[in-house]
Amino acid sequence: MGLSFLIAHVFGHRGATHSLVFTAGATLIAVVCCLIFHLPWAYGLIFGWGWLSHLLADAITPEGLPCLLWPFKRVGKNRQNQLFYLQPPRR
């Protein structure tokens, strides 16, 4: 079983791992790991940019990013009130 399956099982798909807080934390951990292993710290930032671009790509799908501002709760019960939900144009 891979790490991604374990994380998806614990947090759910597009759960906490698809939030800005988690992205910042993972980027910080990546930077620290780079420093520990004597790699350029910019590699950690590149990791963070990659993670952020993944979130932006997920934001333009019909499912959107329901947990982008996790741990804060979204307001409302439907997607019209969901913050940062991007709905594709109707045809």
Side-chain angles (χ1 to χ4, degrees), residues 23-65:
T23 302
T27 302
L28 180 62
I29 290 170
V31 168
V32 169
C33 286
C34 288
L35 294 174
I36 289 171
F37 291 106
H38 305 289
L39 297 169
W41 60 269
Y43 289 175
L45 293 181
I46 293 169
F47 171 84
W49 278 110
W51 196 299
L52 187 61
S53 69
H54 172 87
L55 295 184
L56 293 174
D58 279 351
I60 63 172
T61 64
E63 293 84 16
L65 284 176

